[in-house]
Every structure is written in C-alpha cells, then in structure tokens.
Amino acid sequence: MTELVLRARRTARRRVIEIVLTSAGATPVVHTLSPPSATAATTFADAVNAALPVRDAVEPRTDGATLVTTEPVPPRTERKDRWTTSRERRVQWAFGALFALGTALAAATGEWVLVLLWVTSYAPFLVGCALTRIVYRVTVDWWLLRRRGITVLAVYKNSDYVGEVLVKRHSFTDVAGEERTFHGGGRLVATDPERIEVTYDPCAPKRMTTRNGPVVRTLSVLAYVLLGLPVTAVTAAYPPVSLIVLLSAL
C-alpha cells in the first residue's frame, strides 16, 4: 500500500514542497520541489491533495513507489566558439565606432584640447569596461548560484602550477554523474582527505564557486561595493556625458 502526501513547509532558506511516498514495509521516499514563492507552494499542495481520490481503508492499493523516477537536470548546451567570436567582433566594432565618433566631434569643435582629452581618456574608459564586465559576471554568477545552485563536497585531487602559482584541484560528481574539477582552495570542512564546499549551477556546471571564510567574504563584499560598483557607474556615465559636452561645444 502506498500513501502520497504533499505538504508545504519552510526550511531555513526557503519554502519547499515535499512529496512523501510511504509504502508498506519500506522507508518513506521524499521528493522536494522548490517553487518561486510560498503562495505557489501552498496552492500546488492544496490543489493536488484535493484532487486525490478518497478510498476506503480496506480498498487494495498498488505500490506506486516503483512508478516514480527521477531524472537529473540536463546541462545547458554551451554556446559555440563561433558565436562568441562573432559577439566579440561586434563589441570591438562598437568601441571603434564610439572612438571615431568622439574624435570627429572633438575635431569639429576646433579645440584640440578636447581632442587630446578624448583620446587620452579613452584608454581608462576601456579599462573601466573590462572591470565592469568582471562586476557583471560576478553579479550574474552570485544570483544564479543563489537561485539554483547545488552545494556539494569536493575532494582534494592534486595540485598543479598555473604559471608560477600553485593551484589546488578538487573534484566532485554533478547530478548528471559527470566528474567536475574545481580549481582553487576554500574553507576546509573535513580532512583526510581534504574536502571543501563547492556550489555549482546544474544548468551550466562550469559556473561554480567555493564557500570561503568570513574574512575573505567580507573583503570580497567591500571590493564589490567600494570599487566595483563606483567603477561601473563612472564607466556607464562616460560615453553620454562626454558626447554631450562635445556636442555642446560645437
């Protein structure tokens, strides 16, 4: 006899739906779903429980636990290198066109000081764009790993030199059964063998990070707030402000 029970409950981090299958003489099997909101969890559980048929206690029931199958989330197909190269070329053309436009506007004013300022300030602007891209990637990785990341224990495998830096390599198995390697260290959670916690994205397994200690996390947040965000704001404001100044000087 199998009994199916759906319940919505709150864990330490979020609201979840637990599907509990209990069979006679077997350990209950719990399947967990993570809906986007508490209302969705409660509504889903109530709707399914209301749709379940009411049966007499003596009515025979089949063992439905054997009918339940779980499938891992398929990894997201990586973008082709040709697409990446094409996008990079479009970005390069865009930066080149912006530089040419600014230079032409500055020259049209007849003020060579403005031409010199535009040319010399464009290199720091490109550096700011590179830092902005890093800030963007850090933000996206943090958000996606927080939303759908899976935390596992990665076991120390070996160490290898990358250039002149000795980098540790830890391995773990993802939900698809494929072995993954994390390059870098982290806060130890166990020894013999050395193990650290690694959080990865099941939809893009190459996106992963480790859980560091409080000191490293504090320094990372300070660098993000005090350096990353101001540089991003200044970089975003540079093109429109500069072009407005050049146009007003015509």
Side-chain angles (χ1 to χ4, degrees), residues 68-84:
V68 178
T69 59
T70 58
E71 297 181 359
V73 178
R76 186 174 61 182
T77 303
E78 298 292 337
R79 300 182 188 273
K80 296 181 179 180
D81 292 339
R82 183 175 60 183
W83 183 91
T84 303

Side-chain angles (χ1 to χ4, degrees), residues 21-28 63:
L21 290 175
T22 58
S23 299
T27 303
D63 189 350

Side-chain angles (χ1 to χ4, degrees), residues 24-249:
T27 303
V29 179
V30 180
H31 300 273
T32 302
L33 304 177
S34 299
S37 67
T39 304
T42 304
T43 302
F44 178 79
D46 293 343
V48 175
N49 285 326
L52 293 177
V54 179
R55 298 180 179 180
D56 296 333
V58 296
E59 185 178 352
R61 293 172 172 82
T62 58
D63 189 350
T66 57
L67 302 177
V68 178
T69 59
T70 58
E71 297 181 359
V73 178
R76 186 174 61 182
T77 303
E78 298 292 337
R79 300 182 188 273
K80 296 181 179 180
D81 292 339
R82 183 175 60 183
W83 183 91
T84 303
T85 303
S86 176
R87 183 181 64 173
E88 291 176 351
R89 288 177 179 174
R90 290 197 298 269
V91 171
Q92 292 171 359
W93 277 105
F95 281 123
L98 178 61
F99 178 77
L101 175 62
T103 304
L105 291 176
T109 63
E111 299 289 340
W112 294 106
V113 175
L114 294 178
V115 177
L116 181 62
L117 288 176
W118 172 259
V119 173
T120 56
S121 63
Y122 203 75
F125 166 69
L126 295 178
V127 174
C129 290
L131 294 177
T132 299
R133 183 176 185 274
I134 295 175
V135 173
Y136 169 77
R137 292 303 312 167
V138 169
T139 304
V140 170
D141 290 347
W142 173 84
W143 174 251
L144 292 180
L145 289 174
R146 182 176 177 83
R147 290 284 296 176
R148 63 191 186 197
I150 298 176
T151 301
V152 297
L153 287 180
V155 181
Y156 173 77
K157 190 174 183 180
N158 54 37
S159 299
D160 196 7
Y161 280 95
V162 178
E164 298 181 354
V165 180
L166 184 63
V167 178
K168 293 183 177 181
R169 294 196 295 178
H170 296 77
S171 64
F172 64 92
T173 303
D174 62 14
V175 294
E178 184 174 350
E179 183 177 355
R180 299 285 177 178
T181 301
F182 175 78
H183 298 270
R187 184 171 60 90
L188 289 177
V189 297
T191 56
D192 195 24
E194 175 183 315
R195 282 166 286 182
I196 62 174
E197 287 184 332
V198 173
T199 302
Y200 75 97
D201 184 354
C203 297
K206 291 183 179 180
R207 178 183 292 114
M208 63 182 74
T209 186
T210 183
R211 181 175 176 82
N212 294 305
V215 176
V216 176
R217 294 201 302 270
T218 301
L219 292 177
S220 299
V221 172
L222 290 176
Y224 181 84
V225 174
L226 300 180
L227 179 62
L229 294 182
V231 168
T232 300
V234 172
T235 302
Y238 174 81
V241 172
S242 300
L243 293 178
I244 290 174
V245 171
L246 293 177
L247 289 173
S248 63

